[in-house]
Amino acid sequence: MKTATVAAFLIVTWILIYGSPFAGEQPKVGHYYNSPELILPMTFAHLDHTSVECIDCHHNYVDDTGGDSCMHCHVTNVEVWPLLEEQFHDLCRGCHEDLAAKGEAGGPPRQCIACHVADQIP
Amino acid sequence: MHALTLFIGVIWLIAFLDSPSMGGGWVWDANNALGLAALAGMLYLTIPGGARRNVRAHQTLGYAVLAIVLLHALWFLLDDGVAREFITPNAPLYMWTGITGLVLLAVLVFLAEMPARQRVHDGFSAFRKWHQALATAAIAGSIHHIIASGFYFQTKFQAVLLIGLAIAVIFGRGIWTKARWSPHTTPAKFLVTCVIASAVFTGIRNLVL
């Protein structure tokens, strides 16, 4: 077991440096959307969300708190930026989880790699 | 009823009290079920065996529980390319409490072996005091990791029940001794129980509901 534990820690070190050899796509952290710190890429396919009311996500349509793309404020505004992870996990993952809890198909509720890839679909 | 089965059953019951149909996919749920079964194993290991305790069996079961926890961690890291971000300094607190629980469990297991135990502790009473304290800290870290990650135990009611179970097991040692539920499961039986319980957990989340 000691050997297995040492092997496990070596595997973790390898994954930290080079990533998983089995996971397929390996997203790279970067200054996406001009973020002040390194963040993971995110994807959002509008075409997959046509059944969702626009206002459910685009709060600025009614509260007049911003314009341009979501990331324009959520990454560059100094008050909003620290909440990026919490807000988008709550919004995206929370909605997927609510649908899953009802037994409805609603997109990936938890797998990180399902969302943290570069945008590919409009 | 066997105490290990009871603990797994109670944890499963609490997990299914809210949103029983919410699954994260086969791989996600199976791996998390293994993590929850490992928590049951950690609770099981805290049951006092009294004079009838088989120390060697307790030690080997500790290795089996550690193996399941390592499998739980490595599976995520190997399966999901993003998971490694959750073991970096930027990781959320619940990941660090989980990692702390794993490290403490490894320390518990390896430092309980002779001659390491004799090198670290002055006597058996000092060893036992530290062993119990570290075990409590490892369980506390694991429970925070489970609750704060907020998937299967999202409601306060579930959190209170899970914490209550751990408190009852850790601090109700006299009850377990009187019930003569001394731990005697072998590593092989524990591993088989983990696999079966994980399959049931995953099946219910992804097939039944």
Side-chain angles (χ1 to χ4, degrees), chain B residues 131-204:
Chain B
H131 196 68
Q132 288 177 353
L134 285 177
T136 304
I139 290 170
S142 304
I143 286 181
H144 179 270
H145 169 72
I146 291 165
I147 292 172
S149 59
F151 196 57
Y152 306 110
F153 298 82
Q154 290 198 7
T155 68
K156 285 181 183 172
F157 185 61
Q158 289 174 295
V160 167
L161 285 176
L162 190 64
I163 293 168
L165 170 69
I167 289 172
V169 174
I170 295 169
F171 297 102
R173 297 169 62 84
I175 299 168
W176 303 109
T177 307
K178 282 179 188 169
R180 293 178 174 270
W181 273 5
S182 60
H184 56 270
T185 292
T186 63
K189 283 182 184 172
F190 172 69
L191 295 176
V192 169
T193 306
C194 284
V195 171
I196 293 171
S198 175
V200 170
F201 187 93
T202 310
I204 293 173

Side-chain angles (χ1 to χ4, degrees), chain A residues 1-2 4-5 8-9 11-12 15-23 25-27 29 40 85 89 93 97 100-103 109-113 116, chain B residues 19 21-25 28 63 66-67 70 74 77-88 90 92 94 102-103 106 110 113 149-151 154:
Chain A
M1 188 61 200
K2 282 178 186 170
T5 306
F9 282 109
I11 292 170
V12 169
I15 292 169
L16 270 173
I17 298 169
Y18 300 107
S20 166
F22 308 111
E25 194 162 1
Q26 304 275 332
V29 293
L40 284 162
E85 183 178 350
H89 274 170
R93 200 173 64 187
E97 286 178 2
K102 292 178 194 166
R110 215 64 176 184
Q111 294 94 333
C112 312
I113 194 65
H116 286 295
Chain B
S19 306
S21 65
M22 190 168 72
W28 180 277
Y63 283 117
L66 178 60
L70 285 172
L74 286 178
L77 288 168
L78 290 169
D79 178 66
D80 194 320
V82 185
R84 67 172 168 163
E85 297 299 329
F86 283 76
I87 53 171
T88 62
N90 291 326
Y94 68 82
L102 189 159
V103 171
F110 291 127
E113 289 273 16
S149 59
F151 196 57
Q154 290 198 7

Side-chain angles (χ1 to χ4, degrees), chain A residues 25-63:
Chain A
E25 194 162 1
Q26 304 275 332
K28 295 225 180 306
V29 293
H31 293 282
Y32 297 102
Y33 320 105
N34 297 317
S35 63
E37 292 176 24
L38 295 172
I39 59 173
L40 284 162
M42 289 168 273
T43 185
F44 179 80
H46 268 100
L47 291 177
D48 289 346
H49 293 82
T50 51
S51 61
V52 180
E53 293 286 336
C54 303
I55 197 67
D56 286 353
C57 303
H58 292 286
H59 60 88
N60 57 311
Y61 286 3
V62 290
D63 62 17

